[in-house]
């Protein structure tokens, strides 16, 4: 959406036409919300903006077919190293030599993803934040193999889609999640020990630290399965780091399929 809205030609690729229809509808709805604010007193300009943006956007279920004429590939599939590697390996064979590959992963190592291709110098991380149309930040990740030219192109692209890029080395969680995930885990430990209720911890962090959501609200929003996956991955990389220690309560909720907002229950219940 943000790439199409800033004048880039975008092909959105997913596994089925059904998913793509749903995605396109979601983008249209999101654009309507944006235009309500952006063009509050100019409805005609708003309608034109939506039409123009959607013209820049096409969809496909065949990634190999569309990669032939692409300058930048941004991968945002499931957080699974093997599945991501498989996709990049396949696309690497068909993409033009100049094409840059980027991953939107929040927790996996960019270097390992890059190693599944022959274009390690044209590979980096572009970590957008949810919801992307609202959040100004993009973390641009440079591996030891990423060329300066590629890095600059990724920084330029981030600015061209209206974001504020920050740069980080290829370290677990980059900047935001490296600080945020251990903080959320520490909140769970505080609650597990019975030091404070989850409600009071959430209120304290919102009113005391100015956070828009408390840690338990945030965990439910992100998805408890996603949070567990991240912390488990880091724990396997650095088993002696106490910040990355697994949380029994989090594991129990995930086992019970209480994954947060998306399943109707996590730390809190949702209707």
């Amino acid at each position: 959406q943000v790439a199409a809205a800033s004048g880039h030609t975008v092909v959105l690729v997913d596994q089925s036409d059904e998913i793509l229809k749903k995605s396109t509808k979601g983008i249209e709805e999101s654009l309507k919300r944006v235009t309500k604010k952006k063009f509050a007193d100019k409805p005609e300009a708003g309608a034109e903006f939506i039409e123009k943006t959607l013209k820049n956007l096409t969809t496909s279920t065949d990634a190999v077919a569309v990669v032939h004429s692409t300058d930048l590939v941004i991968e945002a599939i499931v957080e699974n190293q093997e599945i991501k590697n498989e996709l990049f390996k396949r696309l690497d064979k068909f993409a033009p030599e100049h094409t840059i590959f980027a991953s939107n992963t929040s927790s996996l190592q960019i270097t390992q993803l890059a190693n599944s291709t022959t274009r390690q110098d044209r590979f980096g991380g572009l970590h957008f934040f949810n919801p992307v149309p609202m959040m100004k930040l993009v973390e641009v990740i440079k591996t030891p193999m990423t060329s300066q030219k590629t890095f600059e192109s990724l920084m330029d692209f981030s600015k061209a889609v209206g974001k504020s890029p920050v740069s980080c080395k290829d370290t677990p969680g980059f900047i935001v999640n490296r600080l945020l995930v251990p903080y959320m885990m520490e909140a769970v430990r505080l609650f597990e020990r019975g030091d404070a209720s989850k409600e009071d911890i959430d209120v304290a962090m919102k009113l005391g630290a100015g956070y828009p959501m408390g840690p338990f609200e945030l965990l439910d929003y992100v998805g408890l399965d996603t949070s567990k996956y991240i912390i488990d991955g880091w724990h396997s990389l650095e088993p002696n780091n106490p910040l990355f220690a697994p949380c029994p309560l989090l594991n129990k909720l995930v086992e019970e399929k209480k994954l947060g907002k998306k399943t109707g229950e996590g730390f809190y219940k949702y209707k």
Side-chain angles (χ1 to χ4, degrees), residues 2-3 6 8 72 74 100 125-126 128 138-141 147-167:
V2 297
S6 53
H8 296 82
L72 173 64
I74 302 175
I100 293 173
L126 271 184
F128 289 82
V138 177
E139 290 175 325
V140 179
I141 316 305
S147 73
Q148 188 59 23
K149 189 183 170 194
T150 298
F151 172 69
E152 283 166 14
S153 296
L154 292 173
M155 291 293 276
D156 289 344
F157 173 75
S158 304
K159 289 172 192 166
V161 297
K163 301 300 173 197
S164 300
V166 294
S167 166

Coordinates of all heavy atoms in Angstrom, one line a residue, residues 2-3 6 8 72 74 100 125-126 128 138-141 147-167:
V2 N 1.8 1.3 0.9 CA 2.6 2.6 1.0 C 3.5 2.7 -0.2 O 3.8 3.8 -0.7 CB 3.4 2.7 2.3 CG1 2.5 2.8 3.5 CG2 4.5 1.6 2.5
A3 N 4.0 1.6 -0.8 CA 4.8 1.7 -2.0 C 4.0 2.1 -3.2 O 4.4 3.0 -3.9 CB 5.5 0.3 -2.3
S6 N 3.1 5.8 -3.0 CA 4.2 6.7 -3.3 C 4.7 6.6 -4.7 O 5.8 7.0 -5.0 CB 5.3 6.5 -2.3 OG 5.7 5.2 -2.2
H8 N 5.2 3.8 -6.7 CA 5.9 2.7 -7.2 C 5.0 1.7 -7.8 O 3.8 1.5 -7.4 CB 6.7 2.0 -6.0 CG 7.7 2.8 -5.4 ND1 7.4 3.8 -4.5 CD2 9.1 2.9 -5.6 CE1 8.6 4.4 -4.1 NE2 9.6 3.9 -4.8
L72 N 13.1 -4.6 -6.8 CA 13.2 -4.9 -5.4 C 12.2 -5.9 -5.0 O 11.0 -5.8 -5.3 CB 13.0 -3.6 -4.6 CG 12.8 -3.7 -3.1 CD1 14.1 -4.2 -2.4 CD2 12.4 -2.4 -2.4
I74 N 10.5 -7.6 -1.7 CA 10.4 -7.6 -0.2 C 9.5 -8.8 0.2 O 8.4 -8.9 -0.1 CB 9.7 -6.3 0.3 CG1 10.4 -5.0 -0.2 CG2 9.6 -6.3 1.8 CD1 9.8 -3.7 0.1
I100 N 17.4 -6.3 -6.0 CA 17.8 -6.4 -4.6 C 16.7 -7.2 -3.9 O 15.5 -7.0 -4.1 CB 17.8 -5.0 -3.9 CG1 19.0 -4.2 -4.5 CG2 17.9 -5.0 -2.4 CD1 19.1 -2.7 -4.1
G125 N 17.9 -6.2 5.1 CA 16.6 -6.3 5.8 C 15.9 -5.0 5.7 O 16.5 -3.9 5.8
L126 N 14.6 -5.1 5.5 CA 13.7 -3.9 5.5 C 12.6 -4.3 6.5 O 11.6 -4.9 6.1 CB 13.1 -3.6 4.1 CG 13.8 -2.8 3.2 CD1 13.0 -2.6 1.9 CD2 14.2 -1.4 3.7
F128 N 9.6 -3.3 8.4 CA 8.5 -2.3 8.6 C 7.7 -2.6 9.9 O 7.8 -3.7 10.4 CB 7.5 -2.4 7.4 CG 8.0 -1.9 6.1 CD1 8.8 -2.7 5.3 CD2 7.7 -0.6 5.7 CE1 9.3 -2.2 4.1 CE2 8.2 -0.1 4.5 CZ 9.0 -0.9 3.7
V138 N 11.2 2.4 9.7 CA 11.7 1.2 9.0 C 13.1 0.9 9.5 O 14.0 1.8 9.5 CB 11.8 1.3 7.4 CG1 12.3 0.1 6.8 CG2 10.4 1.6 6.9
E139 N 13.4 -0.3 9.9 CA 14.8 -0.7 10.3 C 15.5 -1.3 9.0 O 14.9 -2.2 8.4 CB 14.8 -1.7 11.4 CG 14.3 -1.2 12.7 CD 14.2 -2.3 13.8 OE1 13.8 -3.4 13.5 OE2 14.5 -1.9 15.0
V140 N 16.6 -0.7 8.6 CA 17.3 -1.1 7.4 C 18.5 -1.9 7.9 O 19.3 -1.4 8.7 CB 17.7 0.0 6.5 CG1 18.5 -0.5 5.3 CG2 16.5 0.8 6.1
I141 N 18.6 -3.2 7.6 CA 19.6 -4.1 8.1 C 20.7 -4.4 7.1 O 20.4 -4.9 6.0 CB 19.0 -5.4 8.7 CG1 17.7 -5.1 9.5 CG2 20.0 -6.2 9.5 CD1 17.8 -4.2 10.6
S147 N 26.4 -4.7 0.1 CA 27.2 -3.7 -0.5 C 26.7 -2.3 -0.1 O 25.5 -2.1 0.3 CB 27.2 -3.7 -2.0 OG 25.9 -3.3 -2.5
Q148 N 27.5 -1.3 -0.1 CA 27.2 0.1 0.3 C 26.1 0.6 -0.7 O 25.1 1.2 -0.2 CB 28.4 1.0 0.2 CG 28.2 2.4 0.8 CD 27.7 2.4 2.2 OE1 27.9 1.5 3.0 NE2 27.1 3.5 2.6
K149 N 26.2 0.2 -1.9 CA 25.2 0.6 -3.0 C 23.8 0.1 -2.6 O 22.8 0.8 -2.7 CB 25.7 0.1 -4.3 CG 24.9 0.7 -5.5 CD 25.3 0.2 -6.8 CE 24.3 0.6 -7.9 NZ 24.5 -0.2 -9.1
T150 N 23.8 -1.2 -2.2 CA 22.5 -1.8 -1.9 C 21.9 -1.2 -0.6 O 20.7 -0.8 -0.6 CB 22.7 -3.4 -1.6 OG1 23.2 -4.0 -2.8 CG2 21.4 -4.0 -1.1
F151 N 22.8 -1.0 0.4 CA 22.3 -0.3 1.6 C 21.7 1.1 1.3 O 20.7 1.4 1.8 CB 23.5 -0.2 2.6 CG 23.2 0.6 3.8 CD1 22.3 0.1 4.8 CD2 23.8 1.8 4.0 CE1 22.0 0.8 5.9 CE2 23.5 2.6 5.1 CZ 22.6 2.1 6.1
E152 N 22.4 1.8 0.5 CA 21.9 3.2 0.2 C 20.6 3.1 -0.6 O 19.7 3.9 -0.4 CB 23.0 4.0 -0.6 CG 24.1 4.5 0.3 CD 25.3 5.0 -0.5 OE1 25.2 5.1 -1.7 OE2 26.4 5.1 0.1
S153 N 20.5 2.1 -1.5 CA 19.2 1.9 -2.2 C 18.1 1.6 -1.3 O 17.0 2.1 -1.5 CB 19.4 0.8 -3.3 OG 20.3 1.1 -4.2
L154 N 18.3 0.8 -0.3 CA 17.3 0.4 0.7 C 16.9 1.6 1.6 O 15.7 1.8 1.9 CB 17.7 -0.7 1.6 CG 17.9 -2.1 0.8 CD1 18.5 -3.1 1.8 CD2 16.5 -2.6 0.3
M155 N 17.9 2.4 1.9 CA 17.6 3.7 2.7 C 16.8 4.6 1.8 O 15.8 5.2 2.3 CB 18.9 4.4 3.1 CG 19.7 3.6 4.1 SD 19.0 3.5 5.8 CE 19.4 5.1 6.5
D156 N 17.2 4.8 0.6 CA 16.5 5.7 -0.4 C 15.0 5.2 -0.6 O 14.1 6.1 -0.6 CB 17.2 5.8 -1.7 CG 18.5 6.5 -1.6 OD1 18.7 7.2 -0.6 OD2 19.4 6.4 -2.5
F157 N 14.9 3.9 -0.8 CA 13.5 3.4 -1.0 C 12.6 3.7 0.3 O 11.5 4.1 0.1 CB 13.5 1.9 -1.2 CG 12.2 1.3 -1.3 CD1 11.3 1.4 -2.4 CD2 11.7 0.5 -0.2 CE1 10.1 0.9 -2.5 CE2 10.4 0.0 -0.3 CZ 9.6 0.1 -1.4
S158 N 13.2 3.5 1.4 CA 12.4 3.7 2.7 C 12.0 5.2 2.8 O 10.8 5.5 3.1 CB 13.3 3.4 3.9 OG 13.7 2.1 3.9
K159 N 12.9 6.1 2.4 CA 12.5 7.5 2.4 C 11.5 7.8 1.3 O 10.5 8.6 1.5 CB 13.7 8.4 2.2 CG 14.7 8.4 3.4 CD 16.0 9.1 3.1 CE 17.0 8.8 4.1 NZ 18.4 9.2 3.7
A160 N 11.6 7.1 0.2 CA 10.7 7.4 -1.0 C 9.3 6.9 -0.7 O 8.3 7.5 -1.2 CB 11.2 6.7 -2.2
V161 N 9.1 6.0 0.3 CA 7.7 5.6 0.6 C 7.3 6.3 1.9 O 6.3 6.0 2.5 CB 7.6 4.0 0.8 CG1 7.9 3.3 -0.4 CG2 8.5 3.5 2.0
G162 N 8.0 7.4 2.2 CA 7.6 8.3 3.3 C 7.9 7.8 4.7 O 7.3 8.3 5.7
K163 N 8.9 6.9 4.8 CA 9.3 6.4 6.1 C 10.6 7.1 6.6 O 11.3 7.7 5.9 CB 9.4 4.9 6.1 CG 8.2 4.2 5.7 CD 7.0 4.4 6.6 CE 5.7 3.8 6.1 NZ 4.5 4.4 6.8
S164 N 10.8 6.9 7.9 CA 12.1 7.4 8.5 C 12.9 6.1 8.8 O 12.7 5.4 9.8 CB 11.8 8.1 9.8 OG 11.0 9.2 9.6
P165 N 14.0 5.9 8.0 CA 14.8 4.7 8.2 C 15.8 4.9 9.3 O 16.4 5.9 9.4 CB 15.4 4.4 6.8 CG 15.4 5.8 6.2 CD 14.3 6.6 6.8
V166 N 16.1 3.8 10.0 CA 17.2 3.7 10.9 C 18.0 2.5 10.5 O 17.5 1.6 10.0 CB 16.8 3.6 12.4 CG1 16.1 4.9 12.9 CG2 15.9 2.4 12.7
S167 N 19.3 2.5 10.8 CA 20.2 1.4 10.4 C 20.7 0.6 11.5 O 20.9 1.1 12.6 CB 21.3 2.1 9.6 OG 22.3 1.1 9.4

